[in-house]
Amino acid sequence: MRIKNHPIIDFEHKKKISFTFNNKKITGFESDCIASALHAHGVKILTKSLKYDLPRGFFCGIGKCSSCLMRVNGIPNVRTCIAPLKQGIKVEMQGKFSELPSAKFEEKPKETINVDVLVVGAGPAGLCASIEAAKQGVSVLLVDENMCVGGQLIKQTHKFFGSQNEKAGTRGIVISEDLKKEINDLEKVGKINLMLNSTVIGYYEGEKNLHKFMVVKRKNYDSFLIEVNTKTAVFACGAMENMLLFPGNDLPGVYGAGSVQTLMNVFGVKPGKKVLMIGAGNVGLIVSYQLLQAGIDVDRVVEAAPFIGGYHVHAAKLRRCGVPIYTSHSIKEVYGKDCVEGAVVIKLDRNWQPIKGSEEYVACDTVCLAVGLTPSTRLLYQIGVKMDFVSEAGGYVAMHDDFMQTSIKGIFVAGDSSGIEEASTAMIEGKIAGISMALFLGYEDVKKLQSKYIEELKKLREGPFGEKARVAKKKIKRLMEEN
């Protein structure tokens, strides 16, 4: 299932290593996560549901769901989609009757870090926030639970739209490398402390106007606590894939669009051989074309709305490749014993109701859901930030002002956590948050730069495709002022 030839990506797999899966010796690469190495060998069933013992497989690819939890070296519930593959590890499926290990409680953190700025999430927003803050001279701790920095950028092989300031004409994977280099350069001179394979799990009231967080640092699939005391923090936690309700939606072979990109464009592994794409927004159209680039057949794209939601330039590329796009259609159910073997699509009327007798069977081994995202806001809830539901922003989001500061002083937000948009806007919001945190810490000479970025963001949201974001931010600003 490895991708042999790709028109854009040259997969530079690191050293080949061996490990065991259910006592069977297999191989992978040091650049793999555990789940991608298993997928490369055709292993789609990663775990079983606790109650009904049903098969579960790779779905989100970012450690947000429970479909890839496995036992590694005796440690249960390892998120194999973000856990790096290591030489000689022992990987086992866990299910209904898994034996639990003896628990060990850590009374105290092993380490305490004091820092000016904590950045949670190393995607486009978090990277830009870290860089801007560090350039002003403040100390930055950047925490991410993945194996590398970049977030969604490391999956984006298409060229960005916008202006030159927003890297127009540059592929996301290139932008990711550029930002990574800036982070590494700032890390070398001690301005940024980068902490990967780590998760911020809790917030506590600190002393002397400090915010206290607990971070779980993972090492060799074991973990330990770190206490972080910071003057200010920005949450750039991204978003989670939305799910659709239909029979068979939990079968291995049903993926979120982001996880399909992860397997293909990060690890060079095919998610399947024939794909049914659900959703004709930008994500659905772009991922469909990327599937074709990876040598994977896309049977069709179906969209419940009566129109294509994404840029028509992306739709045109698919149609030129012979991939049909069906509007006013949706998925009815998925068939398969242990994995996806086929699906049924159905036509919808003007009221979005299924039309009886319009069912069509589609033979496929993969169903990709590109049906939107929900902002990741759990930590913001825990902190006590004012939250509200804004449909145009993708769900419940933190109320924030033009400077990306929330209802709690010193707590900022940026990127998809503040409302679902494109990576270009996430990067500018990150820059604004980074500069605003420096200003919060007393660096008064950054006001002109802050105004410049705010104006750039305003220009980027101009035009018909920015209308939804403009409405969302207007609502958020009004709700912020009311409270």
Side-chain angles (χ1 to χ4, degrees):
M1 299 297 287
R2 297 280 181 185
I3 298 171
K4 304 297 183 183
N5 298 299
H6 197 282
I8 296 169
I9 307 173
D10 181 14
F11 295 106
E12 297 179 0
H13 295 300
K14 296 181 181 178
K15 181 182 176 182
K16 198 169 188 178
I17 58 178
S18 62
F19 66 106
T20 63
F21 168 62
N22 288 347
N23 296 319
K24 181 181 178 181
K25 188 175 180 179
I26 54 178
T27 60
F29 296 99
E30 284 185 341
S31 52
D32 276 322
C33 69
I34 295 172
S36 70
L38 291 173
H39 259 68
H41 288 275
V43 178
K44 285 192 173 184
I45 302 173
L46 302 178
T47 189
K48 296 289 186 74
S49 64
L50 291 176
K51 188 172 183 180
Y52 296 113
D53 205 34
L54 296 174
R56 295 286 182 268
F58 202 93
F59 176 74
C60 76
I62 54 174
K64 301 298 184 186
C65 70
S66 59
S67 294
C68 70
L69 299 180
M70 305 183 80
R71 187 187 300 276
V72 181
N73 289 347
I75 300 170
N77 296 330
V78 173
R79 295 177 291 177
T80 57
C81 68
I82 62 174
L85 185 67
K86 299 290 185 182
Q87 173 66 38
I89 61 171
K90 183 180 180 182
V91 180
E92 300 170 286
M93 286 182 59
Q94 58 183 45
K96 191 173 180 180
F97 302 109
S98 292
E99 181 183 350
L100 295 176
S102 58
K104 181 182 178 182
F105 178 73
E106 284 193 30
E107 294 184 4
K108 295 181 180 180
K110 285 191 174 182
E111 183 182 353
T112 298
I113 297 176
N114 298 307
V115 70
D116 293 330
V117 171
L118 169 66
V119 180
V120 185
L127 290 174
C128 289
S130 300
I131 291 166
E132 292 297 329
K135 283 181 177 179
Q136 308 313 314
V138 303
S139 59
V140 177
L141 173 63
L142 174 58
V143 179
D144 194 281
E145 58 188 358
N146 290 286
M147 298 160 52
C148 61
V149 302
Q152 297 301 312
L153 290 175
I154 64 174
K155 313 172 187 180
Q156 309 299 343
T157 58
H158 62 283
K159 295 181 180 179
F160 278 33
F161 294 133
S163 68
Q164 187 175 1
N165 289 334
E166 283 70 58
K167 308 287 186 179
T170 306
R171 302 186 193 278
I173 53 176
V174 175
I175 298 172
S176 175
E177 287 299 315
D178 291 343
L179 292 174
K180 179 181 176 181
K181 184 181 184 304
E182 286 194 71
I183 292 290
N184 290 340
D185 290 344
L186 290 166
E187 189 178 19
K188 288 176 183 177
V189 296
K191 292 186 177 181
I192 289 180
N193 178 6
L194 175 61
M195 190 181 295
L196 297 175
N197 296 314
S198 304
T199 305
V200 178
I201 62 165
Y203 170 81
Y204 306 88
E205 290 185 7
E207 300 176 359
K208 299 179 181 179
N209 297 319
L210 293 177
H211 300 284
K212 181 184 291 187
F213 294 89
M214 287 297 173
V215 178
V216 171
K217 173 68 177 176
R218 295 185 296 276
K219 186 176 182 181
N220 296 329
Y221 315 108
D222 206 349
S223 58
F224 54 89
L225 283 175
I226 295 176
E227 178 185 307
V228 176
N229 296 299
T230 182
K231 298 174 184 177
T232 181
V234 58
F235 289 83
C237 306
M240 300 176 290
E241 300 273 3
N242 288 343
M243 171 57 84
L244 282 180
L245 294 177
F246 54 86
N249 68 353
D250 56 352
L251 273 174
V254 177
Y255 302 86
S259 66
V260 165
Q261 284 186 303
T262 299
L263 284 172
M264 283 192 308
N265 299 341
V266 178
F267 299 115
V269 176
K270 296 180 181 181
K273 297 178 180 179
K274 191 172 186 180
V275 179
L276 169 64
M277 178 64 69
I278 312 299
N282 275 331
V283 173
L285 299 176
I286 289 171
V287 175
S288 293
Y289 189 71
Q290 290 175 357
L291 284 160
L292 297 177
Q293 289 177 315
I296 302 165
D297 183 19
V298 179
D299 183 88
R300 69 189 70 186
V301 179
V302 298
E303 168 59 56
F307 54 84
I308 294 171
Y311 294 132
H312 283 266
V313 63
H314 297 314
K317 287 166 70 176
L318 283 182
R319 284 170 167 160
R320 286 197 298 270
C321 293
V323 178
I325 303 172
Y326 293 84
T327 55
S328 295
H329 280 73
S330 188
I331 186 168
K332 181 180 179 181
E333 59 185 305
V334 165
Y335 287 115
K337 182 181 178 182
D338 293 322
C339 296
V340 172
E341 298 173 11
V344 175
V345 298
I346 192 166
K347 192 173 182 180
L348 307 178
D349 62 24
R350 65 179 62 184
N351 296 315
W352 298 56
Q353 296 302 307
I355 299 174
K356 292 182 178 180
S358 66
E359 294 89 346
E360 182 180 354
Y361 178 81
V362 177
C364 61
D365 62 359
T366 304
V367 174
C368 183
L369 302 180
V371 291
L373 301 166
T374 297
S376 294
T377 55
R378 293 169 183 169
L379 282 168
L380 290 161
Y381 270 110
Q382 188 188 20
I383 294 171
V385 168
K386 172 64 179 176
M387 310 289 293
D388 215 322
F389 185 86
V390 179
S391 59
E392 294 86 353
Y396 280 94
V397 291
M399 300 297 99
H400 57 275
D401 57 23
D402 290 339
F403 311 120
M404 307 311 296
Q405 184 168 221
T406 67
S407 58
I408 295 180
K409 289 185 178 181
I411 300 296
F412 294 77
V413 67
D416 281 349
S417 289
S418 70
I420 305 300
E421 289 188 77
E422 301 289 338
S424 299
T425 53
M427 288 188 285
I428 300 182
E429 283 193 342
K431 291 178 180 180
I432 295 170
I435 292 297
S436 297
M437 287 188 292
L439 186 61
F440 179 84
L441 294 170
Y443 292 76
E444 295 290 335
D445 57 345
V446 299
K447 287 185 177 180
K448 287 186 178 179
L449 190 55
Q450 184 188 55
S451 299
K452 174 190 172 185
Y453 288 144
I454 290 174
E455 186 61 28
E456 282 184 13
L457 185 57
K458 182 180 178 181
K459 290 180 180 179
L460 189 61
R461 288 187 176 130
E462 290 177 349
F465 278 97
E467 182 180 2
K468 191 175 181 180
R470 293 196 302 270
V471 171
K473 294 299 179 178
K474 187 176 181 179
K475 285 185 178 180
I476 290 169
K477 187 175 181 179
R478 175 176 57 80
L479 291 167
M480 180 74 170
E481 292 172 349
E482 288 176 356
N483 294 279

